[in-house]
Amino acid sequence: MSARDIIYPGATLGVLGSGQLGRMFALEARRMGYRVHTYSDAADTPTGHISDKEYTGSYDDLDAVRSFARGVEVVTFEFENVPSATAAAAAECAPVRPGGEVLHITQHRLREKTFLQKHGFPLPPFRLVTSLDLLEAGLAELGCPAVLKSAGWGYDGKGQVKITAPDQAAAAWESLGGQDAVLEAFVDFEREASVVAVRGADGSYTDFGLFENEHVNHILDVTLSPGRFSVAVVEQAQALAREIVEALNVVGVLCVELFVTRDGGLLVNELAPRPHNSGHVTLDQCETSQFEQQVRAICGLPLGSSRPLCPAVMVNLLGDLWSGGEPHWERACAVPGVKLHLYGKREARLGRKMGHLTAVARDVDTARARALEARKALTD
Ligand code: AMP
């Protein structure tokens, strides 16, 4: 990377999307001396609070997207459900990293699975479903239970339904409104895991090892870093993540969500072409967080060391915690090794990600106990 190609501090970085991922990116970018502009269809947003300028407009208003992109040196995104045309319009005015093609593939389950299959990456058996007949045929082939997932715009278990018996096919098909879908064999996994992979503009690579993830109601609840896996599984996952970001030619951050099967095998669940909820743990754990790596990667700076300084565990704080009134923040902050992160969202709705807690400790089990203790103390 020649100095000419590096985007230096003082420049303005653009983020499409305005949630907590953009907020934490903006915090790191500003610490490093960059300015940040954000564009989304909302106002008064978690990213907007930290940005120099918050643009509010439709993702379909391509002229507005172009004028946003003209005001920045590089555009990145913090959620993948930005229409391809939006990324293409931005790319007319500034480099988009990762590129629009990465977004196009990873925002659509079928395209993503087809890509992974074509490159020989391991994934659960699946079938394309565009009619009830195809769903019934798919169930006959894959067996029950199986999971029907909408092909586009899904995350955190939204747009998906588990089918436990063939006679549930019609109801499942109707519940997705007849949109194109993917039927996936149900994986009797041992644990869920993720690798947050980072690739620099010069092809350099780093990741944070293999996180162990616990979900509740399809939403990430707890991340342990390091995950409690054998060295062989960790190395296999890291190699897989590296091959995936290289095959996609990612410049930036991409998370590979994985199922670890009972025999120690790995299956790719899905890809997220941006920092990931599981990677929040890196903010308090690692020499360089996933958000700083995103800044470095898109600006052409050398990637930082991802080395963990200590074991750490992250627990999510959902809006549900507010149902009995304001949580007791002082009680969580009193637990040793606990750090509070809140995203500045004004309205606490059930299931909404409002913030997270990280606990660091000498070992990951102690960190997990502290993080859970701190979260419990919020509402006790
Ligand atoms: P997704 O939105 O596809 O990441 O799914 C959300 C969560 O649903 C995953 O993290 C798993 O806990 C669960 N899940 C999704 N697909 C499957 C599957 N094929 N087999 C078992 N569990 C699944």
Side-chain angles (χ1 to χ4, degrees):
M1 204 80 201
S2 80
R4 204 164 28 104
D5 300 320
I6 297 173
I7 299 169
Y8 270 54
T12 304
L13 314 181
V15 196
L16 287 169
S18 60
Q20 62 269 19
L21 300 176
R23 178 186 181 91
M24 290 181 269
F25 165 82
L27 282 165
E28 293 293 272
R30 293 192 65 153
R31 177 175 58 76
M32 294 170 75
Y34 291 97
R35 295 173 177 275
V36 178
H37 291 180
T38 173
Y39 185 103
S40 79
D41 55 10
D44 188 22
T45 60
T47 310
H49 296 162
I50 309 298
S51 297
D52 295 82
K53 197 161 172 185
E54 179 177 48
Y55 288 76
T56 303
S58 160
Y59 289 115
D60 297 322
D61 184 348
L62 301 185
D63 286 335
V65 170
R66 283 186 197 99
S67 88
F68 155 75
R70 271 194 290 273
V72 302
E73 292 298 315
V74 59
V75 173
T76 189
F77 38 86
E78 66 101 49
F79 92 133
E80 60 270 36
N81 291 337
V82 172
S84 292
T86 308
E92 291 168 23
C93 311
V96 176
R97 296 179 179 149
E101 181 60 14
V102 178
L103 193 76
H104 182 70
I105 292 172
T106 56
Q107 70 186 196
H108 191 272
R109 279 189 204 280
L110 183 66
R111 281 197 290 269
E112 180 175 295
K113 285 180 186 296
T114 307
F115 167 85
L116 290 167
Q117 192 176 46
K118 197 177 102 197
H119 285 81
F121 296 116
L123 68 170
F126 70 94
R127 296 286 181 277
L128 166 66
V129 170
T130 53
S131 68
L132 179 56
D133 281 351
L134 280 175
L135 174 56
E136 285 170 344
L139 283 171
E141 282 172 15
L142 299 181
C144 284
V147 190
L148 186 67
K149 302 179 176 182
S150 62
W153 315 119
Y155 68 98
D156 283 348
K158 292 187 174 67
Q160 59 176 268
V161 42
K162 186 173 170 183
I163 302 175
T164 52
D167 64 5
Q168 294 166 2
W173 179 241
E174 240 170 69
S175 75
L176 289 193
Q179 56 184 316
D180 284 4
V182 172
L183 182 71
E184 213 176 278
F186 190 79
V187 181
D188 179 28
F189 54 78
E190 188 189 285
R191 273 174 286 168
E192 292 189 73
S194 54
V195 178
V196 170
V198 190
R199 190 159 173 270
D202 58 355
S204 53
Y205 174 85
T206 184
D207 65 51
F208 303 89
L210 186 58
F211 301 135
E212 177 180 343
N213 298 326
E214 301 170 11
H215 291 76
V216 172
N217 296 330
H218 300 282
I219 300 176
L220 183 65
D221 187 44
V222 180
T223 293
L224 289 77
S225 176
R228 296 166 295 184
F229 301 105
S230 69
V231 172
V233 167
V234 175
E235 286 178 354
Q236 195 189 333
Q238 289 177 300
L240 187 59
R242 183 172 192 156
E243 283 172 36
I244 290 173
V245 290
E246 285 175 355
L248 280 167
N249 197 19
V250 169
V251 175
V253 177
L254 179 137
C255 178
V256 181
E257 296 181 19
L258 296 159
F259 296 128
V260 182
T261 59
R262 294 185 189 281
D263 57 1
L266 294 172
L267 295 171
V268 178
N269 173 28
E270 64 179 3
L271 308 179
R274 48 163 171 78
H276 189 258
N277 195 163
S278 59
H280 295 357
V281 73
T282 63
L283 279 169
D284 299 306
Q285 184 192 21
C286 297
E287 264 178 35
T288 313
S289 74
Q290 63 170 350
F291 300 103
E292 181 176 342
Q293 298 286 27
Q294 184 183 19
V295 174
R296 288 176 178 239
I298 67 167
C299 291
L301 291 169
L303 301 183
S305 160
S306 300
R307 191 171 71 88
L309 302 172
C310 55
V313 167
M314 186 252 10
V315 294
N316 267 336
L317 303 176
L318 299 185
D320 312 44
L321 288 167
W322 274 252
S323 47
E326 189 68 21
H328 302 293
W329 302 114
E330 73 286 5
R331 295 185 191 164
C333 290
V335 179
V338 166
K339 296 281 201 168
L340 173 65
H341 298 253
L342 287 171
Y343 308 146
K345 298 182 184 178
R346 305 215 190 271
E347 201 193 334
R349 294 192 295 270
L350 293 181
R352 188 175 199 203
K353 290 176 181 172
M354 302 296 289
H356 68 268
L357 297 172
T358 312
V360 296
R362 248 188 238 165
D363 61 84
V364 80
D365 292 313
T366 307
R368 183 176 182 278
R370 283 182 178 172
L372 292 176
E373 177 196 339
R375 184 168 65 180
K376 189 162 173 291
L378 290 173
T379 53
D380 268 354

